Amino acid sequence: QVQVVESGGGLVQAGGSLRLSCAVSGSILSIRTMGWYRQAPGKQRELVAEITSGFSTNYSDSVKGRFTISRDNAKNTVYLEMNSLKPEDTAVYTCNALVRTDWRAPLNAYWGQGTQVTVSS
């Protein structure tokens, strides 16, 4: 069993900052990629940022320069530092982790429950 738990969402004014955390626990051999996705009402889920176990990062064009993703491999935790927030950043942010639970097992994607981020204008 693998659990993915996010925290840190909330309500913030435009221009403000929030930090999201996502902890992965359970039967884990390794975690390849950890990432954050978001889904706004009426829109499809989109990738916000992702980071590999080697700390390579990838960002959506809409958040480049404003958001920073990082991870602590010792804690199996990924963070998303969000600065200069805009109302269009309002969405449910969900954590994703590609996890290998055993040497013989394939990589599987695990998802958290999501955390709401609301940016007021």
Side-chain angles (χ1 to χ4, degrees), residues 16-118:
S17 300
L18 280 175
R19 188 188 195 218
L20 305 182
S21 299
C22 169
V24 183
S25 62
S27 180
I28 300 167
L29 180 63
S30 63
I31 304 176
R32 179 174 291 182
T33 302
M34 305 179 83
W36 289 95
Y37 289 73
R38 68 184 181 187
Q39 186 168 20
K43 295 188 176 181
Q44 288 190 328
R45 184 167 61 188
E46 62 171 351
L47 173 69
V48 177
E50 60 184 355
I51 183 168
T52 68
S53 56
F55 305 105
S56 295
T57 58
N58 178 43
Y59 293 92
S60 164
D61 287 344
S62 62
V63 307
K64 279 181 183 176
R66 300 187 298 122
F67 291 12
T68 302
I69 190 169
S70 61
R71 68 188 278 175
D72 184 333
N73 287 337
K75 296 181 179 179
N76 291 333
T77 299
V78 62
Y79 307 95
L80 186 67
E81 187 75 37
M82 305 184 292
N83 298 314
S84 302
L85 282 161
K86 305 174 181 180
E88 50 264 44
D89 294 318
T90 295
V92 175
Y93 284 70
T94 307
C95 178
N96 170 271
L98 286 178
V99 179
R100 191 181 301 278
T101 56
D102 183 86
W103 288 110
R104 294 162 292 183
L107 281 169
N108 281 315
Y110 293 88
W111 296 87
Q113 294 296 311
T115 184
Q116 177 70 45
V117 171
T118 302

